[in-house]
Amino acid sequence: MTASPPAPLSPEALRPALLPFGEGTMLPSQAYTSAEVLAWERRHFFAGTWTCLGRRDALAPLGSTQVATTVGDIGVLLSVAGAGPVEAFANTCRHRGHELLGAGETSTKQAVVCPYHAWSYDLSGRLITAPGFREVASFDPETHGLVPLPVQEWHGWVFVNAMGTAPAFAEHVGALEDLVAPYEPETLVLGATHQYVVAANWKVVTENYHECYHCPLIHPELCQVSPPTSGSNFDLPGMWVGGSMDLRDEAETMSLDGRSPGRPLLGVDPRVVLYLGLFPNLLLSLHPDYVMAHRMTPLAPDRTQVECAWYFPPVADGASIDPSYAVEFWDTTNRQDWGACESVQRGLSSPHFRPGPLAPNEDAVHQFVTMVARGYEGRG
Ligand code: FES
């Protein structure tokens, strides 16, 4: 994260969250409830860092060459020409700023024409035509292409830095690359996708993901296949937080009966599940036989869209196996989590809420909270 103006939160309110583990608390309530804070986060956490937009194949439906989306608070035009690299541009015409495509729109054409005065750009963002400017001697089309934005494909997912000011993606990911690479997510096939809207702030969802202190009370199915006190957390370079949990001796994977009808992934620990959160919006769960990804988009201070997708090793014809064993397990667990997150959101919206201390096994939550609080202070 680069240095940025501080968030609209007082230094006094943030101080308890920045204390060392064992003394630190969760963030102040305004961090989860304020529209002003969310507006700041959209600009500096989502547009200002590397936000995951999803998988390349899902982003660009068959035949699409351009896709308009919003990253944080900035309009982005993705260009996906054939099998070539994804390119990203500001969705802002170089004439007077009209959007080239509306957010969510796609195109299958080889050029995009601005709907306002018909300036047109090719898939590389180069200006092709600007009606009426041929006779203007001082006008140079070469200097009026779309503004390019940093984009990165990583193990099948596409990330954009919409402000164009973030450190290099390799620095952002840091040592997470070494943990994710053996699972080769880019080779896996989508088995299922669920869309959820959770009535809670995106950080409440993240914090819940990073601790299993709550598991004995609300996740009986999970505790049957994975001891809630097992595993440990990582403290390695990069803008991510995460840890591992073990499978019980009799369990092959995270499923309702502990059995896996799937194919094991080669070269990964068959007794461990990794839970990794890449700031700001991608949560990865890496199992011995499948990968699950939660991608979050904040809709409001108290509403978050969560896309949950499951990926499996391909079978002979390139399709996925029946994903229901993993989907049923995690859909049950997800809904238990969403219920808890929504209750937390209601509780911390109370005028009587005070940021509470973090338990000895909430160290990953402390890492995340510290990362957020440092970002709020503009320290990156
Ligand atoms: Fe795009 Fe005028 S604003 S052509």
Side-chain angles (χ1 to χ4, degrees):
M1 215 183 300
T2 47
S4 55
L9 290 160
S10 76
E12 294 73 35
L14 287 177
R15 195 161 296 130
L18 287 160
L19 292 172
F21 184 53
E23 301 170 45
T25 70
M26 57 188 294
L27 296 161
S29 62
Q30 304 96 302
Y32 306 96
T33 58
S34 159
E36 224 184 327
V37 170
L38 179 60
W40 185 96
E41 291 176 339
R42 282 189 169 125
R43 168 55 58 95
H44 299 289
F45 282 171
F46 286 82
T49 64
W50 289 95
T51 287
C52 180
L53 303 186
R55 301 279 283 198
R56 177 193 171 118
D57 41 7
L59 269 175
L62 205 57
S64 295
T65 52
Q66 292 188 309
V67 179
T69 188
T70 304
V71 180
D73 60 347
I74 295 180
V76 171
L77 188 70
L78 294 173
S79 185
V80 197
V86 177
E87 294 185 82
F89 304 96
N91 188 13
T92 298
C93 180
R94 290 297 308 277
H95 176 220
R96 281 175 44 210
H98 200 287
E99 295 164 309
L100 285 318
L101 294 176
E105 283 185 357
T106 60
S107 163
T108 55
K109 303 197 170 109
Q110 293 303 306
V112 63
V113 180
C114 179
Y116 203 9
H117 311 97
W119 283 32
S120 64
Y121 305 85
D122 69 15
L123 297 184
S124 299
R126 204 171 58 88
L127 181 66
I128 306 171
T129 54
F133 275 80
R134 186 170 293 172
E135 299 76 29
V136 180
S138 61
F139 181 73
D140 179 6
E142 291 298 321
T143 61
H144 288 83
L146 297 177
V147 174
L149 300 174
V151 59
Q152 180 79 39
E153 290 182 59
W154 183 67
H155 295 298
W157 290 281
V158 175
F159 295 79
V160 166
N161 170 221
M163 284 286 282
T165 54
F169 185 78
E171 186 182 329
H172 183 75
V173 167
L176 187 64
E177 166 64 18
D178 298 331
L179 293 170
V180 173
Y183 291 80
E184 300 184 335
E186 66 278 13
T187 67
L188 305 183
V189 177
L190 178 68
T193 305
H194 281 192
Q195 299 284 350
Y196 305 94
V197 174
V198 186
N201 185 272
W202 67 277
K203 299 184 296 300
V204 171
V205 175
T206 302
E207 289 162 5
N208 173 82
Y209 179 81
H210 283 307
E211 53 92 358
C212 213
Y213 188 32
H214 67 269
C215 292
L217 276 85
I218 71 168
H219 295 318
E221 297 85 0
L222 184 149
C223 292
Q224 278 201 331
V225 290
S226 184
T229 55
S230 67
S232 56
N233 285 321
F234 301 108
D235 188 6
L236 296 167
M239 288 295 293
W240 60 278
V241 167
S244 64
M245 285 180 65
D246 301 333
L247 291 167
R248 290 195 188 277
D249 289 345
E250 61 278 16
E252 296 171 336
T253 192
M254 303 294 274
S255 63
L256 291 172
D257 63 2
R259 297 282 162 258
S260 169
R263 273 177 40 201
L265 295 166
L266 302 177
V268 308
D269 188 333
R271 308 306 311 151
V272 162
V273 180
L274 299 182
Y275 298 91
L276 310 167
L278 179 58
F279 192 86
N281 73 326
L282 183 64
L283 306 173
L284 292 176
S285 309
L286 309 180
H287 303 72
D289 54 340
Y290 65 94
V291 164
M292 180 176 69
H294 288 97
R295 189 173 63 86
M296 296 179 292
T297 306
L299 303 176
D302 59 355
R303 280 172 82 77
T304 304
Q305 180 172 352
V306 182
E307 176 195 83
C308 184
W310 291 262
Y311 303 93
F312 301 83
V315 290
D317 60 358
S320 160
I321 63 153
D322 178 355
S324 58
Y325 75 104
V327 173
E328 282 174 19
F329 177 88
W330 279 112
D331 184 57
T332 300
T333 307
N334 283 341
R335 290 178 192 280
Q336 293 161 344
D337 279 327
W338 307 155
C341 290
E342 291 176 351
S343 181
V344 167
Q345 185 71 32
R346 291 190 293 273
L348 56 76
S349 303
S350 161
H352 305 296
F353 169 81
R354 302 286 182 278
L358 299 171
N361 54 356
E362 291 181 298
D363 42 348
V365 177
H366 178 259
Q367 286 174 286
F368 174 72
V369 161
T370 303
M371 186 183 287
V372 170
R374 287 172 56 88
Y376 284 156
E377 289 193 321
R379 284 198 275 160

